[in-house]
Structures are given as C-alpha cells and as structure tokens.
C-alpha cells in the first residue's frame, strides 16, 4: 500500500502552500459585505484586469460563480445552449432551474466542443410561443473531455454566432489558466470576448477556497446582490482572497508541471492493451476506460493500493494532476494501475 495515498481525484484536493499561509497572515482585512476588504478588492481588480473585463466579484465556489453569470444574463423562462457533458449541466445540481428559472438546451460535445451548425440550429427564432435563447455557454478547459482546450478560432466563431443572434456568451473558465499556460494565449485574449466569465482559484492554482466572476460593472452589481441573496455575502474574506492572489501571482506558471505529469501518466497507461485513453491529455486531466475489465472494480483495487481515482464520470475513470503530487508519484500511480490490471488478467 502506497503511503501517503496518491490522490488524483481532483485538483481541488491540494493544501495551501507556505507562501499562501504567509499571505493569509499578512492580509489586510475588512468587511466585504461593505466592500471594505482591501485584499478582496485587490483580488477583484487584479482578476478583472487579467481577464480583460470591467469588474469582478470574489465568490466561494465555481458553481456559485457560474450561476451568478447565468443569473446576470437571463430572465426566468430563458434558455441556455451548452454541452451535454458540461459541468453546468451535470454537476451543478439543477441550479439553473432552481435559482434562475431557466432551461438548458444541451448539444453533443463528446470532445469538449459543440458543433457550430448544431448551435446555429439550436438558437430559437424570435416567436412569442418559444423560449428565448439567452446564452451560449462553453467550458475551457473541458473537464469531462479530459481537460481538452477549445481552440481560439472556434471560440471566436461561437462569439460571432452569438453576437449575430443577439445571444449572451458565458465562459466557464474553471481551468482557463491551464489552457493559457498550455497555449501561451493570455487569459484576457480568451475571456474578454465573453459577456461573463467564471474562473477558479481553488483548482490548479492551489487556493483553499474561491472563484471569481468577471463581467461588466452593471452585471457585477447585479451579481453582488444575488451573491447576498444566495447567502454568499462574506466578511473578512480577504484571508481567502490573499491565497487566491498568491496563486495567481506565484503558482500559475507551474501548471505546466501538472500538464507534464498528465502526459507521463497517459504515456504509461497507453502501454496497456486493457486501457483506452479516448483523448491524449492537453492539460492536467487524463480520462480513460478499461477494456474487458470492470472500470469501477479497477478503481476499487487501486484505491486499496493507495491510488485514488475519480469515478464521477459514468463510463470513464479520471486522474487529475496538481501541485500535491510529484512526477515520481505520478509514475508510481500509473504503474500501479497497469500492474493491477495485468495481475487481474493473468489471475
Ligand atoms: C469545469 C468546472 N466548472 C465549475 C466547477 C465548479 O467549481 P466548484 O467545485 O468550486 O464549485 C468545476 C469543479 O470541478 C469544474 O470542473
């Protein structure tokens, strides 16, 4: 049994780094419900600029941030076009219906992107008896498609399509940083073309808590109101904002190491005829399937050996690479998965 276990379930499992603890100790604090926390204000200004937007709002989670964005772009009865494998559709507990009274129109997105003609067809014509298409939402990087990167040209085409139809555009950029580091394209270049953007600080950047919504001043004012309505008005949140700022300023470039670990893991797995990797990793996520062996059983076996994988995606196993796992542990984890299957096959 590997000790301590190698936890590859998500990049959210990391603990704050010493630099983050120091930043917390030094953080100037105030009451953010009065917009008086200097560190929160600094983080919001910093992220707004980084994403090329007028304003930003610090919130506890990526789910809240995505939902505030949808709230700001819709009225009840509206419709949102998004991928059937998207986080918003699958893992946000039906919140769009519950919190904004809107319906979701899903399209196939097996590789992470919806086909442009499908989107075009899904946009409703203007008729009193139809729901109004209010938003097209995309995910960068695409979690369930194995951290795949949506190409800039594709995003630009979606934006053009949305603009021509008068439809709002939302970017779930929970892992936008990974896409930026992998491609060298600045976050603002991706994000500024969208009406609303959500980014996470608590994934690859390593902060313990926090996401940020970026948009126009007007929409952020509305989102601030709904953050309060939904119980997310927080007080000396600068203690958390300090970690987020530290992550953005000092732990962004190291995401490249996580991409290398994912590539190493996939390379070792691809040596086994009992494993199939539908898509080679472009960033920090590897999704894979078993061939001729029960997927959940494999996850159980390797867990007893000290390698923790995510089983959250039906029909796929997922390994996510982050700062609390080394390249050596990555190699060991991959070898453990391959050896476990080999052992079962020769049993
Ligand atoms: C693509 C995507 N969007 C949004 C979220 C939600 O983030 P949180 O867990 O902070 O609510 C996640 C979390 O894994 C995600 O992967």
């Amino acid at each position: 049994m590997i000790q301590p276990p190698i936890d590859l379930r998500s990049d959210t499992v990391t603990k704050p780094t010493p630099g983050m603890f120091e930043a917390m100790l030094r953080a100037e604090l105030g009451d953010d419900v009065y917009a008086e926390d200097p560190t929160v204000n600094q983080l919001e200004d910093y992220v707004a600029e980084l994403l090329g937007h007028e304003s930003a709002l610090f919130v506890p989670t990526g789910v809240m941030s995505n939902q505030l964005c949808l709230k700001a772009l819709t009225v009840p009865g509206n419709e949102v076009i998004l991928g059937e494998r998207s986080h918003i559709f699958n893992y946000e507990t039906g919140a769009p219906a519950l919190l904004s009274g809107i319906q979701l129109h899903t399209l196939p997105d097996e590789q992470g992107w919806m086909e442009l003609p499908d989107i075009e067809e899904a946009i409703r014509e203007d008729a009193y008896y139809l729901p109004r298409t209010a938003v097209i939402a995309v995910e960068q990087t695409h979690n369930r498609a194995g951290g795949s990167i949506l190409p800039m040209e594709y995003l630009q085409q979606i934006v053009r399509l949305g603009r021509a139809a008068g439809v709002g555009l939302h970017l779930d950029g929970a892992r936008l940083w990974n896409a930026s580091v992998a491609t060298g394209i600045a976050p603002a270049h991706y994000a500024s073309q969208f009406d609303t953007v959500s980014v996470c600080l608590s994934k690859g950047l390593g902060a313990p808590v926090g996401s940020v919504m970026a948009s126009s001043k007007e929409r952020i004012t509305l989102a601030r109101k709904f953050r309060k309505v939904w119980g997310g008005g927080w007080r000396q949140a600068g203690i958390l904002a300090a970690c987020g700022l530290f992550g953005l300023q000092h732990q962004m470039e190291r995401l490249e190491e996580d991409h290398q670990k994912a590539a190493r893991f996939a390379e070792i797995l691809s040596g086994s005829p009992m494993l199939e990797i539908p898509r080679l990793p472009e960033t920090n996520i590897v999704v894979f399937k078993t061939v001729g062996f029960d997927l959940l059983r494999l996850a159980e076996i390797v867990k007893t050996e000290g390698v923790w994988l995510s089983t959250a995606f039906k029909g796929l196993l997922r390994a996510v690479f982050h700062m609390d796992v080394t390249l050596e542990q990555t190699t060991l984890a991959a070898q453990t998965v391959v050896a476990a299957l080999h052992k079962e096959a020769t049993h």
Side-chain angles (χ1 to χ4, degrees), residues 53 69-75 78-82 88 102 114 119 123-124 132-138 155 157-172 191-197 215 219:
H53 277 264
C69 291
L70 295 184
K71 175 60 102 184
L73 294 173
T74 59
V75 294
N78 283 172
E79 188 170 71
V80 176
I81 296 174
L82 79 181
I88 292 176
I102 53 179
M114 302 173 275
I119 300 178
I123 295 175
R124 309 270 184 179
R132 189 176 85 78
T133 306
V135 184
I136 303 169
V138 295
L155 293 174
Q157 283 171 320
I158 289 205
V159 169
R160 271 201 294 277
L161 197 62
R163 295 273 172 250
V167 172
L169 294 145
H170 170 62
L171 176 64
D172 176 0
S192 59
Q193 48 188 341
F194 288 84
D195 296 312
T196 54
V197 183
S215 189
R219 288 194 201 97

Side-chain angles (χ1 to χ4, degrees), residues 1 12 16 69 99 122 162 165 171 173 180 217 223 234 238 258 263 269 286 288 298 323 329 340:
M1 164 93 162
T12 56
C69 291
L99 300 177
L171 176 64
S180 274
K217 275 195 182 135
W234 44 8
D258 297 341
L269 258 53
V286 182
F288 57 100
L298 174 65
M323 65 171 70
Q329 286 173 309

Side-chain angles (χ1 to χ4, degrees), residues 90-231:
N90 290 287
Y91 304 106
E92 304 198 0
T93 58
L98 198 63
L99 300 177
S100 295
I102 53 179
Q103 70 180 22
L104 303 180
H105 186 150
T106 59
L107 297 176
D109 62 343
E110 178 132 30
Q111 301 297 324
W113 55 76
M114 302 173 275
E115 298 293 340
L116 290 165
D118 290 353
I119 300 178
E120 217 167 341
E121 202 179 312
I123 295 175
R124 309 270 184 179
E125 59 187 88
D126 189 10
Y128 79 89
Y129 49 83
L130 296 174
R132 189 176 85 78
T133 306
V135 184
I136 303 169
V138 295
E139 193 172 306
Q140 177 79 304
T141 63
H142 198 287
N143 183 358
R144 194 159 163 169
S148 59
I149 299 172
L150 303 182
M152 179 58 96
E153 216 173 276
Y154 168 79
L155 293 174
Q156 286 166 339
Q157 283 171 320
I158 289 205
V159 169
R160 271 201 294 277
L161 197 62
R163 295 273 172 250
V167 172
L169 294 145
H170 170 62
L171 176 64
D172 176 0
R175 296 184 181 80
L176 178 66
W177 321 121
N178 295 81
S180 274
V181 166
T183 59
I185 297 174
H189 202 45
Y190 282 121
S192 59
Q193 48 188 341
F194 288 84
D195 296 312
T196 54
V197 183
S198 168
V199 288
C200 291
L201 308 169
S202 60
K203 300 198 162 64
L205 296 182
V209 175
S211 289
V212 183
M213 164 187 175
S215 189
S216 63
K217 275 195 182 135
E218 202 181 330
R219 288 194 201 97
I220 293 296
T221 302
L222 182 78
R224 189 178 290 280
K225 164 125 185 132
F226 277 96
R227 183 186 66 172
K228 183 75 175 143
V229 171
W230 296 344

